Amino acid sequence: MYLRFCAAAFLSVLTISSVQAQVRSPSRLPDPRSEFVRQCAPRMLGRWEHPEEVCGCLHDHAAAVVEDRDLREALLRGISETGVPTIETDWVPAAKQGEIGATFTKIAKPTLQCMFDPAKS
């Protein structure tokens, strides 16, 4: 009986230790902004002197003015995949596809600022 009690206590200590270890070292999820810049910057090489600054500016200023989540995600996808602000209609729900033009009008000024003078944005 004493042996069973010791074995049970030992197993509970191991279980508690492994749970605490998992709590202390959570898996790191990538920062969405950093991930965007990582995907975007190679598309900007050769176009801009500081591609990371341009990509960060597009994320922080141009895409930030788009309130709708679906349109913003489509815009960020377009920039990171092509290096220019673009939204494919199949990236946006059908009900929101009519808002694509207005979205580009909204981001025009911050996009130009990011592309030509990202330090001032």
Side-chain angles (χ1 to χ4, degrees):
M1 180 74 173
Y2 180 73
L3 185 60
R4 286 184 190 169
F5 178 74
C6 289
F10 180 73
L11 286 175
S12 65
V13 168
L14 284 178
T15 303
I16 291 170
S17 297
S18 68
V19 168
Q20 286 176 343
Q22 289 175 359
V23 170
R24 287 184 193 143
S25 60
S27 62
R28 289 200 149 192
L29 297 174
D31 170 36
R33 182 185 187 279
S34 298
E35 184 63 18
F36 170 77
V37 171
R38 185 190 67 76
Q39 291 176 356
C40 170
R43 307 266 189 243
M44 299 293 181
L45 288 173
R47 293 182 189 179
W48 309 106
E49 189 173 337
H50 303 287
E52 292 84 9
E53 286 181 28
V54 173
C55 292
C57 182
L58 288 170
H59 182 278
D60 297 346
H61 298 285
V65 300
V66 180
E67 294 91 13
D68 183 84
R69 182 178 176 205
D70 294 322
L71 289 165
R72 184 176 48 253
E73 287 178 6
L75 175 64
L76 291 170
R77 178 180 175 183
I79 295 169
S80 66
E81 289 183 5
T82 66
V84 295
T86 186
I87 298 175
E88 296 289 330
T89 54
D90 58 330
W91 296 344
V92 180
K96 297 179 182 178
Q97 290 177 359
E99 299 174 40
I100 293 174
T103 299
F104 282 117
T105 300
K106 185 180 276 189
I107 68 163
K109 184 176 180 179
T111 297
L112 290 173
Q113 183 72 40
C114 288
M115 298 265 189
F116 294 103
D117 200 359
K120 289 186 178 179
S121 291

